Amino acid sequence: MSRRPSLSDVAKRAEVSVSLVSRILSGDTTVRARPETQQRVHEVAAQLGYQPHGAARALRLSRAGALGLVVHEVSNPIHAEIIRGAQAAATAAGQVLLLSDAPELAANADAFAQLVGTGRIDGLMWQGSGEDYDDELVARAARQLPTVLVNSRPRAGVPALRLDDEAAARLAVEHLIGQGHRHIGYVGGRPGADLTERRYAGYLAALRDHDLPVRPEWTVEREWDAPAGHAAMAALLATDPRPTAVFVANVVVAVGALAAAREAGVAVPEQLSVIAVHDAWFVAHGAPPLTTVRLPLDRLGAEAVRLLLSGEGSPVPAGTAADGAAGGGGSAAMGDPGGGGDPVGGSAGRGIVLADPPPQLLVRGSTTRPEGMR
Amino acid sequence: MSRRPSLSDVAKRAEVSVSLVSRILSGDTTVRARPETQQRVHEVAAQLGYQPHGAARALRLSRAGALGLVVHEVSNPIHAEIIRGAQAAATAAGQVLLLSDAPELAANADAFAQLVGTGRIDGLMWQGSGEDYDDELVARAARQLPTVLVNSRPRAGVPALRLDDEAAARLAVEHLIGQGHRHIGYVGGRPGADLTERRYAGYLAALRDHDLPVRPEWTVEREWDAPAGHAAMAALLATDPRPTAVFVANVVVAVGALAAAREAGVAVPEQLSVIAVHDAWFVAHGAPPLTTVRLPLDRLGAEAVRLLLSGEGSPVPAGTAADGAAGGGGSAAMGDPGGGGDPVGGSAGRGIVLADPPPQLLVRGSTTRPEGMR
DNA sequence: TTGTATGCGTTATCAA
DNA sequence: TTGATAACGCATACAA
């Protein structure tokens, strides 16, 4: 028959027992089998193209060999970077990556159960976007699985991985200040979202450090998409006086903001400098090419994988579903991995900041000295 | 203990046998159990939060309940659309989606084996990009799994799903012609790639239909990325006479092409109209906003899932690995699903064209009547 | 140095 | 109307 060869097929052909084959092929060091036997087994296995059956292994070991990644919108280039990093890291660790979509999981309870409750994955990475349903779903997931939040602060007791957004914002704003700008506006993302707040903090810190005024009407927050950026920039340009430069908290938002400036007849960078956090391939080709601060988004994904695999994901609380004894699923480890973290809480609820590599300024055409300066 | 509840936990608590629970919970219609028993079982299951263990199911049923999707670059917005469609369709069908990266699979044999050879997935979707390794890898995969090529013509006997690229190109070029252009250039993607050829065919057909000349020096093909588009457009603009309009075979390429025109001081659309295949959110915010032809990329992913699930993926040839009898893995069905296909070969090697919904013209600012016309 | 037996959680076959 | 049992493929404790 042409079905996939199993251990017993190999065993039969090599004329040894199944268990011996298992031990030999899995590189069990305590197996002191005859060298000739070992070789024979290896040969037969190769000949037959034997590969262990994933489900059987998962069942026996009660480890799925897979990790889940939940993202809010694949088409967002920022999320794509995270996916890329996670994908590569998972593969490198011999795990497969299961991709899912947050809005869909929120809308479809079966889908959620299918992903989280069936033992298909050993850990879950959840890209938090500050949606309302995030907290609830993440909390539910964390009850069943080691879970890590990505690009978010810790919520619902689930550890979180994030980048040094404050430093990035600071770097961006300081670039503007260095060019001589003293009137700098802020376009954020969704109000109240972690990311917005952290980047706003960096913006404020930079202004403060240089004794520059903060004007409330120059702070506009809408959403994390281009239309929102468009609206925000339009609002900002309607102020009087108007800033000579704008820091935009996200490159996607910046795309809309640039379009709004263009439509308003405000030349960038001649009349208005614009800088944004995160880089995406297409902004380098824009008019003008956008100056950005790049953050290592791919590392975010990679580090999340590492965390999960090293057992530092959210510990699964004991006595969840049925009875009530101790013993647990996810092991919990301590320590502060990753570069320069600022651990917040205890074993759960930690916030880890990936500060390495640091934010990188990519100067392109959208920033320049303010008009009338020299 | 706090481990996940199993069937036997439910059975114990409901005071029935495991097999009865299994049948009741799986909605077996032939199970004529007492209504009260049924209810009790359901209650206990809900109480315990019982969910069948995926691996155990997979082992028993020899179906993984998962599909694999291999893509060449997640950050490409076009690929992201495909992923999105596949993801949604898989979830809707109760399957999970396993995402992988083609270059990585090409470089890492273990990763390939892990994805394809371990029974983790019931079918594989492979986004073909005309890379050299594609043929070989797809062929290997198809020997083990029902496989479908996405956005490609059939290769290596593997059925393929694609969009009506020729119609899209035609629609785009006819839009230009309709505006009065008679000198229309072509910027393609990777030379020799299916996509390039199909779109080129549409371009040619449109010109032919309107008795417009085809000038070899106005046909430039480089690669599927923005830098290539930049180079191609630069080459095109160096011709003399130069076309008044350019059809670009891909929106990503078009981003680079627009930048090149800008740098060359050629105003779009005043001096040069540009139109491209595929739509991406950011081009609407560009300068100028790009006119595009949208194709239902998400349906491509969704339909691939449907095909695999309905058993119309590549049939796995019998007698592959070990012995040599009949009996096979993937069932093969015939028929011509999806809208208006042009099936090419037999059961394997079919090419299915998704012609519905048809290409959609999105007129934005990058096209206009040629200069000096009225 | 190697083999036998057991169990992971399900489903399916058969018997009662 | 229900239950006992075998089997899916593997890893391991134990026996030889």
Side-chain angles (χ1 to χ4, degrees), chain A residues 6-7 19 22 50 53 57 60:
Chain A
S6 73
L7 267 190
S19 67
S22 170
Y50 170 77
H53 187 122
R57 250 170 153 268
R60 177 65 232 243

Side-chain angles (χ1 to χ4, degrees), chain A residues 223-273:
Chain A
E223 248 307 340
W224 291 119
D225 54 33
H230 190 285
M233 179 60 97
L236 210 51
L237 292 179
T239 60
D240 184 19
R242 158 218 289 175
T244 64
V246 177
F247 164 73
V248 184
N250 175 294
V251 73
V252 170
V253 176
V255 167
L258 280 181
R262 202 178 296 126
E263 287 168 28
V266 176
V268 176
E270 293 78 5
Q271 299 171 267
L272 183 74
S273 285

